[in-house]
Amino acid sequence: MSHHLSGPNLRSPRGDARLDLTDLFAFPAAGASGRTVLIMNVNPYAPTGGTEFHPDAVYRINVDNDGDHRADVAYSFTFSAPAGGAQSMTVRRATGEAAGKHEASGEVLFADVPVAFGSTPDVVEADGRKVSVGLRSDPFFADLEGIVNDFTWTGKDAMAEANVFGIALEVPDADLGPEPEIGVWARVGLHQDGQLISVDRGAHPSLTAYFNAEEVKDAYNAGEPADDWEKYREPWTAVLQHTGDYTTDAATETLKIVLPDILRYDRARPAVYPNGRTLTDDVTSARLTMLSGGKITSDHIPPHTDLLPEFPHLGHPHPVPPAG
């Protein structure tokens, strides 16, 4: 189910949904050439799993612009402790060696950005960039009940009424690198006992849910994409051979799409997953097709219709049922 429930202990009652990376998107800005939108969503089923962003976390979008699977540019998002129903965010942009570290560092692009907990998004603009953060409608769509029940489709979209906490950033293409080809991934780190611990990371949807055994998920979340091919090619090949009757060679070629776990985006070409990812791309069907070796090609759930045509594009949040 995309990255939903991929973070630390999120499958247990003690899990902290504020740290759960749900989805990552990269696509061209609407109505403006030479600009890119990056969106990182966290906290599935918000706000029931957490009513704000974690003040001890570093939320981060990493960009590789030279093809070595390491961050050359990194946007870090950190949050104040919530007070009186309000919370604010600071956005930093790091480059070079600093981009390869997980801590928030670099130039401050935005400070004291308000987190929008209501229906209307707050959009803040500065120096040719835009940012918006807050409670939004979850754009992910899938028949999760049907997937769990041996692909007996129900026609029900599990996320039709779900919310997330979204971080949306629009930047000039020049911010991301001189060439059109980039790679993007997201990470959530948490400060604990004087250290920043990477608790969730990813780019392509649904990978850890389908490919990683429970006991290796924490190590995966703490790892670096540059090491993914060496570490995960063999065990993930075995998964594809089991689920889709792949030969070793065919599995190797298929895994090149998602390993390393970096969303490749050639900005000179249309953004359609797996070249970038828009809010309406049917990534669930793409993953089912991959896993089944083409035997299952769709879960028959259409994209959401509540998306906004303008930035931040994520739809207005759904009403939250009263507690109890």
Side-chain angles (χ1 to χ4, degrees):
M1 51 183 301
S2 195
H3 294 290
H4 297 67
L5 306 184
S6 59
N9 300 315
L10 290 169
R11 294 156 297 279
S12 77
R14 297 186 301 279
D16 193 333
R18 296 175 297 175
L19 306 174
D20 185 14
L21 168 64
T22 61
D23 280 297
L24 176 69
F25 302 89
F27 54 89
S33 61
R35 302 180 63 80
T36 295
V37 175
L38 303 172
I39 295 178
M40 174 185 184
N41 291 337
V42 298
N43 197 344
Y45 306 106
T48 56
T51 58
E52 71 281 323
F53 289 89
H54 201 305
D56 296 323
V58 176
Y59 302 87
R60 192 171 171 93
I61 297 176
N62 302 284
V63 180
D64 167 32
N65 59 31
D66 61 8
D68 67 352
H69 313 311
R70 300 185 185 278
D72 300 295
V73 180
Y75 297 95
S76 297
F77 311 90
T78 54
F79 293 83
S80 67
Q87 191 175 31
S88 63
M89 178 183 73
T90 297
V91 184
R92 293 177 173 86
R93 178 179 181 267
T95 59
E97 184 177 346
K101 302 183 185 301
H102 297 174
E103 285 284 0
S105 63
E107 176 189 6
V108 175
L109 302 182
F110 298 91
D112 301 320
V113 175
V115 176
F117 294 103
S119 177
T120 303
D122 286 319
V123 177
V124 180
E125 300 186 43
D127 298 324
R129 305 177 181 95
K130 299 179 183 180
V131 71
S132 183
V133 59
L135 186 67
R136 307 306 297 160
S137 171
D138 189 347
F140 183 63
F141 52 99
D143 185 348
L144 299 184
E145 184 178 340
I147 292 172
V148 171
N149 291 319
D150 295 325
F151 311 109
T152 303
W153 305 122
T154 69
K156 300 175 184 176
D157 180 358
M159 302 299 169
E161 302 296 327
N163 296 322
V164 290
F165 275 96
I167 301 170
L169 181 68
E170 182 180 309
V171 299
D173 280 352
D175 268 19
L176 305 176
E179 301 299 326
E181 299 90 353
I182 59 174
V184 186
W185 69 100
R187 186 182 298 274
V188 181
L190 179 66
H191 285 107
Q192 289 181 311
D193 302 322
Q195 294 183 310
L196 181 66
I197 308 299
S198 177
V199 295
D200 204 0
R201 62 104 174 176
H204 290 276
S206 309
L207 294 189
T208 198
Y210 287 116
F211 284 101
N212 281 329
E214 195 70 24
E215 63 271 15
V216 304
K217 288 182 178 179
D218 287 346
Y220 185 85
N221 287 334
E224 297 291 343
D227 301 322
D228 283 349
W229 185 257
E230 180 179 350
K231 289 185 176 180
Y232 299 107
R233 177 180 59 83
E234 289 189 8
W236 289 22
T237 291
V239 171
L240 289 180
Q241 289 174 327
H242 174 71
T243 62
D245 296 323
Y246 281 79
T247 65
T248 299
D249 288 346
T252 297
E253 287 303 307
T254 299
L255 288 175
K256 288 179 180 178
I257 299 172
V258 295
L259 280 178
D261 188 3
I262 295 175
L263 182 64
R264 299 173 183 88
Y265 179 28
D266 181 349
R267 294 170 287 170
R269 297 169 47 219
V272 179
Y273 182 80
N275 183 53
R277 180 183 173 190
T278 73
L279 297 171
T280 58
D281 284 340
D282 189 355
V283 295
T284 297
S285 294
R287 193 64 62 241
L288 291 173
T289 301
M290 171 182 283
L291 286 161
S292 69
K295 299 179 182 69
I296 302 171
T297 59
S298 179
D299 67 343
H300 310 290
I301 300 296
H304 292 176
T305 59
D306 62 350
L307 303 173
L308 304 182
E310 69 281 347
F311 185 84
H313 302 291
L314 299 170
H316 299 304
H318 301 281
V320 179

